[in-house]
Amino acid sequence: QVLAYHRHTFATVSQRLLISVTPAPGGDTPFQAEFLVGNRNVEELLPEPAREMFLQASAGVWERGDLHIINVTSALDRGGRVPLPIEGRREGVYVKVGSHSPFSPCLASAVSPQSRSRCHRGQGPLASCYDTFAPHFSIRWCNLTLLQVWPSPTTPGPLWGSGVLEEGGGFEPPTEAVARELLPGFLVTLLVPLAVAVLLCLLLGHLMCCRREGV
């Protein structure tokens, strides 16, 4: 169930969607890059034409064509600040793109230690390629993240039998139950509280009957 609200009128609307998740035909993409688009809101990148335009721009930087968008997340959900109500300000969007091809030298140089050092000094990172995202998408290259996701080896599960006991094999428990004497524990549990209650009753009776004035 999706609950949405209008950011200007605060009107809400809910809709129930049935989503079927199927594995990708070629498997999960091992090479993934996450871009921060500073001049867009999340709803502006959800339509199909906007995503296709972003993929075309990514293909120019990645130098590959087998790209697809994995995730689109608002920067507010990642700790970003709400923009000032000024014309042209946007929330920012994180867009994760995946591919089966390795990263291009341009992307690798943008996340190199030299580029990170320049970003810490407030300078732009090193990039050896032309920015094909401009002017439609303003990419904050200092927030670029490259990931290599390899499929984890699956551990073999338990081997299940037929469920039918073999002929001539009777069930034998692994250990025999040791006989326990429960009477002492029962007496202690019953007699100790009873003795305490009798002593309390005697003490209370002595205080109420024998400690009165004139007695």
Side-chain angles (χ1 to χ4, degrees), residues 84-138:
L84 296 175
I86 303 177
E87 186 67 26
R89 296 294 181 92
R90 296 292 190 271
E91 299 173 356
V93 185
Y94 284 94
V95 183
K96 182 179 291 187
V97 180
S99 173
H100 290 277
S101 303
F103 303 113
S104 64
C106 174
L107 295 178
S109 62
V111 296
S112 61
Q114 295 81 4
S115 296
R116 296 304 186 191
S117 177
R118 290 172 58 90
C119 289
H120 288 310
R121 296 195 301 266
Q123 303 175 1
L126 299 174
S128 59
C129 60
Y130 177 71
D131 187 3
T132 58
F133 291 96
H136 303 287
F137 304 102
S138 176

Side-chain angles (χ1 to χ4, degrees), residues 7-8 36-45 74-76 80-94 136-138 140:
R7 65 173 63 244
H8 299 294
L36 176 56
V37 185
N39 63 337
R40 287 289 186 271
N41 291 330
V42 64
E43 64 269 12
E44 297 175 350
L45 279 175
S74 173
L76 300 182
R81 296 182 179 181
V82 178
L84 296 175
I86 303 177
E87 186 67 26
R89 296 294 181 92
R90 296 292 190 271
E91 299 173 356
V93 185
Y94 284 94
H136 303 287
F137 304 102
S138 176
R140 299 178 182 176

Side-chain angles (χ1 to χ4, degrees), residues 77-208:
D77 297 335
R78 304 281 292 272
R81 296 182 179 181
V82 178
L84 296 175
I86 303 177
E87 186 67 26
R89 296 294 181 92
R90 296 292 190 271
E91 299 173 356
V93 185
Y94 284 94
V95 183
K96 182 179 291 187
V97 180
S99 173
H100 290 277
S101 303
F103 303 113
S104 64
C106 174
L107 295 178
S109 62
V111 296
S112 61
Q114 295 81 4
S115 296
R116 296 304 186 191
S117 177
R118 290 172 58 90
C119 289
H120 288 310
R121 296 195 301 266
Q123 303 175 1
L126 299 174
S128 59
C129 60
Y130 177 71
D131 187 3
T132 58
F133 291 96
H136 303 287
F137 304 102
S138 176
I139 303 298
R140 299 178 182 176
W141 291 101
C142 289
N143 297 89
L144 176 64
T145 303
L146 301 183
L147 301 173
Q148 293 189 23
V149 182
W150 302 104
S152 57
T154 58
T155 57
L159 298 178
W160 301 100
S162 60
V164 180
L165 190 65
E166 297 181 0
E167 183 179 359
F171 175 73
E172 296 180 0
T175 57
E176 296 182 358
V178 181
R180 299 176 56 188
E181 186 66 30
L182 302 178
L183 182 59
F186 171 74
L187 293 178
V188 171
T189 305
L190 181 63
L191 295 180
V192 172
L194 183 59
V196 174
V198 171
L199 290 177
L200 291 178
C201 291
L202 293 176
L203 180 61
L204 183 60
H206 175 71
L207 292 177
M208 296 183 63

Side-chain angles (χ1 to χ4, degrees), residues 10 22 30 48 140 191 212:
F10 296 99
T22 57
E48 187 68 23
R140 299 178 182 176
L191 295 180
R212 299 178 62 185

Side-chain angles (χ1 to χ4, degrees), residues 5-22:
Y5 75 96
H6 196 282
R7 65 173 63 244
H8 299 294
T9 62
F10 296 99
T12 59
V13 61
S14 62
Q15 184 178 2
R16 186 175 182 181
L17 301 178
L18 298 178
I19 302 176
S20 300
V21 180
T22 57

